[in-house]
Amino acid sequence: MLGLALALVMSIAVIGCGGGEQKAEEKKDAADEKLKIAFIYVGPIGDGGWTYAQDLGRIFLEKEVPGIETTYIESVPEGADSERVLTELAEKGNKIIFATSFGYMDAVIKVAQKYPDVKFLHCSGYKTAENAGTYFGRMYQARYLTGLMAGKETESNIIGYVAAFPIPEVIRGINAFTVGVREVNPEAKVKVVWTNTWYDPAAEKEAAKSLLEAGADVITQHQDTPGPMQAAEEKGKFGIGYNSDMASMAPKAVLTSAVWNWGPYYVDTVKAIQAGTWKSDQYWGPMSDGIVGLAPYGPMVSDEVKQLVEAKKQEILEGKWDVFTGPIKDQSGQEKVPAGQVMSDADMLSFDWFVEGVDGTIPK
């Protein structure tokens, strides 16, 4: 009987010890488990523009925030495909998903409803949910500054603008750029050609060529590749890039680029989610937040132009002035923003008309 009792005690001790070891191991695994974060891109990370800039932000996030693991899926078309990919990413245990193109908006809201424990951040859209917010930057401020440069550099007074889709974001950029152009050169016109694509290197380059043939001697763009800049360089003309610094792709042409710096926003957002302080909102960061800016000036830019741009940039950074301050007229000459008034965010976010000086139409 004594031997049996001793064996029973030993058995219980072993079981208890084993259970303790298992619990400790489970705690260790939980501590080692990384927060999974996913990014969905509309183009390839090698596009040299929009997606490349977004991926630089992802890389910055990984370096700055410990305990996370990021993944990405590139070249995901807008529409049904994006809904499928977003669902797959949520199913794989990603707790934060950044959807980085305007056309993902409806898919984000739909998938967010199915996965309330996942946080979704949609770039450039306007629809939100309790677990889905939007983010963007006031790129129109940088666009205006590049317009000043274009207005100073043009000799033909025709400036070409290769534009993707006729949505408020793109229209706002064209208008801000034109405001800058006309401030320093009231005779200049900004000629717009639509491509109806975000990423199509050949189409973007051909659109730029058509503008050069029409007399443009400065080309800018709202497109994801450096194709328009390369077209400008091949013709011995100037260009102003977008998304990331495009000087390396067309060094003889690029005056500067209006650029995105997504990294700090990604870091702040992930830290807020980790801390439990994040709430769904619509972030629209100004140039003073560092989310938008200008790339270094090309060697062909004069000191006079640099000083002009830097002075106006300082006014924007200090909040003393913003781009859409009246008087502003539309293409027909009708006053849309009276003198001294500043256009509201709501009106800027719903732009569906061109300012005076734009040569082009908005497809309905």
Side-chain angles (χ1 to χ4, degrees):
M1 288 293 291
L2 181 60
L4 180 60
L6 184 59
L8 183 59
V9 168
M10 290 293 290
S11 173
I12 291 170
V14 168
I15 292 170
C17 181
E21 287 175 357
Q22 185 178 355
K23 286 178 181 176
E25 193 65 34
E26 286 174 356
K27 285 180 180 178
K28 182 177 181 299
D29 289 343
D32 290 343
E33 188 176 344
K34 293 186 174 182
L35 174 64
K36 295 178 72 174
I37 303 169
F39 291 74
I40 172 174
Y41 299 144
V42 74
I45 60 172
D47 67 359
W50 175 260
T51 297
Y52 173 69
Q54 289 281 359
D55 203 55
L56 288 179
R58 179 191 66 82
I59 293 167
F60 181 85
L61 171 65
E62 270 206 336
K63 288 178 180 176
E64 294 295 317
V65 181
I68 66 170
E69 175 186 300
T70 73
T71 56
Y72 65 87
I73 299 181
E74 57 188 334
S75 300
V76 178
E78 297 170 333
D81 280 350
S82 63
E83 184 180 337
R84 174 184 56 79
V85 171
L86 287 165
T87 301
E88 289 175 0
L89 291 171
E91 285 289 335
K92 287 179 179 177
N94 289 287
K95 293 302 180 184
I96 305 173
I97 299 175
F98 291 96
T100 65
S101 190
F102 178 82
Y104 296 153
M105 180 168 61
D106 290 337
V108 164
I109 297 302
K110 197 170 181 181
V111 176
Q113 291 174 346
K114 299 177 185 175
Y115 299 92
D117 61 332
V118 178
K119 301 293 189 295
F120 293 82
L121 285 305
H122 177 230
C123 186
S124 80
Y126 55 84
K127 294 182 180 179
T128 63
E130 189 173 345
N131 61 326
T134 65
Y135 66 101
F136 206 52
R138 294 179 185 265
M139 179 54 77
Y140 69 86
Q141 295 175 335
R143 292 281 194 192
Y144 160 80
L145 296 174
T146 64
L148 294 174
M149 298 181 70
K152 281 289 192 181
E153 295 292 349
T154 183
E155 294 180 356
S156 67
N157 284 339
I158 301 173
I159 298 166
Y161 204 118
V162 183
F165 292 97
I167 60 175
E169 171 196 338
V170 181
I171 296 167
R172 184 170 60 247
I174 294 168
N175 285 341
F177 178 81
T178 304
V179 169
V181 167
R182 300 275 286 190
E183 183 176 318
V184 296
N185 188 347
E187 301 303 313
K189 294 277 189 179
V190 177
K191 189 173 180 62
V192 176
V193 170
W194 300 101
T195 63
N196 293 307
T197 178
W198 293 118
Y199 177 80
D200 188 329
E204 294 166 34
K205 192 170 184 180
E206 285 304 313
K209 285 181 178 179
S210 73
L211 288 163
L212 291 161
E213 288 168 4
D217 60 354
V218 180
I219 297 291
T220 193
Q221 62 182 84
H222 193 129
Q223 297 284 179
D224 291 359
T225 81
M229 299 299 97
Q230 292 163 339
E233 183 170 76
E234 288 169 10
K235 289 290 186 180
K237 305 302 182 183
F238 289 134
I240 294 170
Y242 175 54
N243 293 313
S244 60
D245 185 356
M246 291 183 167
S248 63
M249 291 85 160
K252 294 178 181 177
V254 174
L255 301 169
T256 186
S257 300
V259 298
W260 292 102
N261 181 25
W262 299 108
Y265 169 79
Y266 288 147
V267 169
D268 290 347
T269 301
V270 169
K271 284 184 176 180
I273 291 171
Q274 287 177 317
T277 59
W278 180 87
K279 286 186 172 64
S280 172
D281 67 354
Q282 293 185 289
Y283 171 78
W284 197 20
M287 183 176 279
S288 56
D289 277 7
I291 193 169
V292 301
L294 297 181
Y297 300 112
M300 69 290 283
V301 180
S302 69
D303 288 341
E304 177 197 351
V305 171
K306 290 178 188 176
Q307 289 167 8
L308 168 69
V309 172
E310 289 300 317
K312 294 301 290 191
K313 181 167 77 173
Q314 199 58 37
E315 288 186 35
I316 293 171
L317 288 172
E318 293 174 3
K320 293 179 178 177
W321 179 86
D322 204 9
V323 176
F324 296 110
T325 300
I328 297 175
K329 297 178 181 179
D330 67 12
Q331 284 174 305
S332 70
Q334 180 185 351
E335 186 175 81
K336 301 287 279 189
V337 184
Q341 288 192 18
V342 181
M343 205 171 185
S344 70
D345 281 2
D347 286 340
M348 282 191 280
L349 289 166
S350 59
F351 251 126
D352 61 358
W353 52 272
F354 278 145
V355 299
E356 190 173 46
V358 178
D359 178 3
T361 59
I362 300 172
K364 299 301 181 184

